[in-house]
Amino acid sequence: MDLQAQLEELKTKTQNQLKAIKADNANELQELRVKVLGKKGSLTELLKGLKDLSQELRPLVGKQVNEVRDVLTQAFEEQAQLLEAAQIQARLESETLDVTLPGRQIKLGNRHILSQISEEIEDIFLGMGFQIVDGFEVEQDYYNFERMNLPKDHPARDMQDTFYISEDILLRTHTSPVQARTLDKHDFSKGPLKMISPGRVFRRDTDDATHSHQFHQIEGLVVGQNISMGDLKGTLEMISKKMFGEDRSIRLRPSYFPFTEPSVEVDVSCFKCGGKGCNVCKKTGWIEILGAGMVHPSVLEMSGVDSEQYSGFAFGLGQERIAMLRYGINDIRGFYLGDSRFIEQFK
Ligand code: FA5
């Protein structure tokens, strides 16, 4: 067979092969393209025969080679488009869209229960004209202890051992240092000081169901003229009713804090049994929620506040304790694990 006939045959054969390729076997198209039009393909092979042709025939056959290449290139192009269209059509026919299926719900997060409690308490106090003050979690020994009437070597420091950054810098053991910092700045000619300060505190406590080495407190401080224990009791009664219900009552028990005198521990009547005694209140009818007292004159004097003229009360409540009592949570560690099954219960 002469070269021209071979070219003709290659063209027809390739066109037929192309038509036979099925949409689900598109790789075949690429393989055939390489076999026919590739560098080492059949057309290149035939080209080699050009050199044996006569001078007259060579340009004619050369032209024919180019025509065959053009025709086949276009045929490959067209077939590729046909296959692609067929593939899309097949997918459209096989995939069905069920518009009656329920939509995918976007999971919404919620605020952590401790944040909710502190915001709730902040709202109550904001409504009574208190300011909200931020303190430092990394605090000076001076403010955490000395300004709270706990000089170095005071035995009560033992109850609040902590993590020391250096001899004088520590992770605060309570929110009370904010008392001293705020007292230092307050201008009493403009009125009494009324503030609360929520925040994280740290202690060298062993973790168990009711103790954590880090937890949250809310400090409260009111200093002005003629502030009495009655004001403290009224404020605490109000907060306990708002947090635990209108029928709650409170009782004050004598206690000791170096920065308050007198000092009290405050109990709320048990919300579960109403005071009769149950497992929540350990059969006493009362649940302890905070420590409080009248600000010690030395704490006022260290801030340059005249303790003859001014008096005040302070309290410090444990936020986890409030949440545990309110929702019957029996292990404090649940607050810090970040387990969404725990957090999502408090939407
Ligand atoms: C204090 O920290 C005082 N600063 C409170 C205070 C402020 C008294 C102002 C007077 C005037 P106390 O150590 O009792 O007191 O802690 C207060 C509350 O923090 C406790 O009632 C308890 O609810 C909580 N608490 C104490 N230790 C832990 C702990 N390891 N884990 C979780 N909560 C704790």
Side-chain angles (χ1 to χ4, degrees):
M1 209 190 317
D2 66 15
L3 196 51
Q4 283 164 297
Q6 285 182 46
L7 278 168
E8 223 20 67
E9 190 193 79
L10 176 67
K11 186 172 90 178
T12 325
K13 193 174 141 201
T14 309
Q15 282 170 331
N16 289 335
Q17 283 176 317
L18 264 177
K19 279 185 203 139
I21 296 176
K22 300 254 167 16
D24 58 358
N25 208 354
N27 281 348
E28 253 183 55
L29 183 94
Q30 185 55 16
E31 282 163 21
L32 186 62
R33 192 199 302 264
V34 173
K35 223 161 106 188
V36 178
L37 299 176
K39 261 195 220 160
K40 292 176 188 163
S42 321
L43 197 62
T44 317
E45 275 308 304
L46 289 181
L47 257 177
K48 287 180 188 161
L50 272 183
K51 65 181 186 319
D52 304 324
L53 296 178
S54 65
Q55 287 284 34
E56 298 85 53
L57 263 179
R58 208 178 289 166
L60 281 175
V61 179
K63 200 172 158 221
Q64 193 191 349
V65 170
N66 285 337
E67 276 167 10
V68 170
R69 178 181 287 114
D70 289 348
V71 168
L72 287 182
T73 305
Q74 201 182 338
F76 272 104
E77 225 29 73
E78 283 167 8
Q79 188 63 12
Q81 281 172 15
L82 280 176
L83 290 184
E84 196 183 351
Q87 277 173 349
I88 291 172
Q89 189 58 33
R91 263 184 60 195
L92 284 176
E93 279 165 18
S94 67
E95 281 175 14
T96 49
L97 180 67
D98 184 351
V99 290
T100 65
L101 279 175
R104 271 188 215 146
Q105 273 198 335
I106 298 169
K107 262 191 142 189
L108 285 182
N110 61 288
R111 298 184 72 63
H112 194 280
I113 181 59
L114 291 176
S115 307
Q116 291 181 37
I117 296 262
S118 96
E119 276 167 21
E120 203 178 316
I121 295 176
E122 281 170 29
D123 275 352
I124 296 169
F125 281 99
L126 276 173
M128 296 194 301
F130 279 59
Q131 53 171 315
I132 297 167
V133 181
D134 256 344
F136 298 112
E137 290 177 7
V138 179
E139 186 50 283
Q140 296 174 31
D141 178 289
Y142 176 65
Y143 284 104
N144 193 80
F145 289 129
E146 290 191 32
R147 292 290 301 274
M148 289 291 104
N149 218 15
L150 282 142
K152 290 216 190 297
D153 303 323
H154 192 291
R157 279 195 181 208
D158 286 356
M159 289 191 295
Q160 296 191 13
D161 193 12
T162 184
F163 305 90
Y164 283 83
I165 310 284
S166 70
E167 209 177 315
D168 300 317
I169 312 279
L170 44 78
L171 298 186
R172 67 175 176 184
T173 57
H174 50 177
T175 41
S176 298
V178 188
Q179 288 188 32
R181 288 188 175 275
T182 325
L183 274 170
D184 282 354
K185 282 192 234 135
H186 189 73
D187 179 356
F188 282 92
S189 69
K190 296 203 167 115
L193 165 61
K194 291 168 33 179
M195 72 86 174
I196 60 162
S197 181
R200 194 190 300 259
V201 302
F202 309 82
R203 284 189 199 176
R204 202 187 145 277
D205 276 351
T206 309
D207 291 358
D208 61 22
T210 52
H211 290 86
S212 168
H213 61 279
Q214 57 165 336
F215 55 102
H216 298 78
Q217 286 188 339
I218 298 184
E219 193 76 11
L221 175 68
V222 172
V223 177
Q225 277 166 333
N226 302 320
I227 303 290
S228 73
M229 200 85 179
D231 298 310
L232 169 64
K233 191 163 182 239
T235 308
L236 297 177
E237 223 149 32
M238 183 275 310
I239 189 87
S240 95
K241 282 188 185 348
K242 294 248 187 210
M243 296 304 291
F244 297 106
E246 278 300 319
D247 48 353
R248 298 277 68 81
S249 46
I250 61 163
R251 78 172 179 189
L252 310 187
R253 275 183 293 115
S255 184
Y256 171 73
F257 296 104
F259 35 93
T260 44
E261 182 59 37
S263 301
V264 289
E265 213 90 65
V266 178
D267 300 335
V268 180
S269 60
C270 180
F271 61 93
K272 195 171 174 204
C273 63
K276 290 191 203 89
C278 67
N279 57 339
V280 172
C281 58
K282 299 192 186 101
K283 311 269 183 246
T284 64
W286 297 94
I287 296 163
E288 182 200 318
I289 54 161
L290 54 87
M294 299 306 291
V295 180
H296 196 290
S298 303
V299 172
L300 295 175
E301 295 292 343
M302 278 188 269
S303 281
V305 179
D306 181 355
S307 62
E308 295 289 325
Q309 208 188 337
Y310 294 100
S311 58
F313 67 79
F315 60 86
L317 58 87
Q319 267 185 61
E320 283 83 352
R321 176 68 61 92
I322 300 266
M324 288 171 86
L325 291 175
R326 198 150 129 180
Y327 299 106
I329 300 164
N330 54 15
D331 196 325
I332 197 170
R333 287 166 283 209
F335 292 112
Y336 317 115
L337 293 177
D339 186 335
S340 55
R341 288 169 303 181
F342 176 86
I343 294 165
E344 280 169 5
Q345 292 177 52
F346 307 102
K347 282 202 170 155

